[in-house]
Amino acid sequence: GSFSYETICTECKGHSASSHTEFPFYELELNLGVMSGQPTLEKALAQYVKKENLTGDDQYCCDTCRKKCDATRQIKIKKLPHIVCLQLLR
């Protein structure tokens, strides 16, 4: 399968150039230890693809705005492999 890191500037709504780069994968590392309550596979997958806010010292350097801006970054699964291995980290 393949996935990409989608980074979107909150000011101009532009996507980073790397948002179009797909990375191959055949396994996912899902962290069960960071969940509150009873961990489930569904919660772990949701956490894996959850949007991350890039603010403060972690701001994104936007090519369109030509400055550091707040942004969101998220893993987007583009294609699933025929067989995927799930590593469950506790």
Side-chain angles (χ1 to χ4, degrees):
S2 65
F3 71 90
S4 66
Y5 292 102
E6 183 179 78
T7 305
I8 302 173
C9 175
T10 56
E11 289 190 30
C12 70
K13 306 298 184 214
H15 289 68
S16 71
S18 64
S19 294
H20 305 292
T21 303
E22 292 188 18
F23 300 95
F25 78 96
Y26 62 92
E27 67 181 14
L28 298 174
E29 290 184 359
L30 304 176
N31 195 343
L32 301 177
V34 297
M35 287 184 229
S36 60
Q38 182 68 31
T40 66
L41 184 56
E42 186 176 306
K43 286 180 188 177
L45 285 168
Q47 181 69 30
Y48 188 78
V49 297
K50 180 181 172 185
K51 279 188 182 177
E52 172 186 3
N53 292 315
L54 304 177
T55 59
D57 290 340
D58 295 328
Q59 279 186 318
Y60 163 68
C61 188
C62 180
D63 291 334
T64 304
C65 298
R66 297 183 183 263
K67 64 178 185 173
K68 288 194 169 196
C69 299
D70 289 347
T72 60
R73 180 171 50 201
Q74 182 177 22
I75 292 176
K76 293 282 190 173
I77 296 176
K78 301 292 189 173
K79 290 184 279 190
L80 292 173
H82 293 292
I83 297 172
V84 63
C85 296
L86 301 176
Q87 290 190 14
L88 304 177
L89 308 174
R90 299 184 281 149

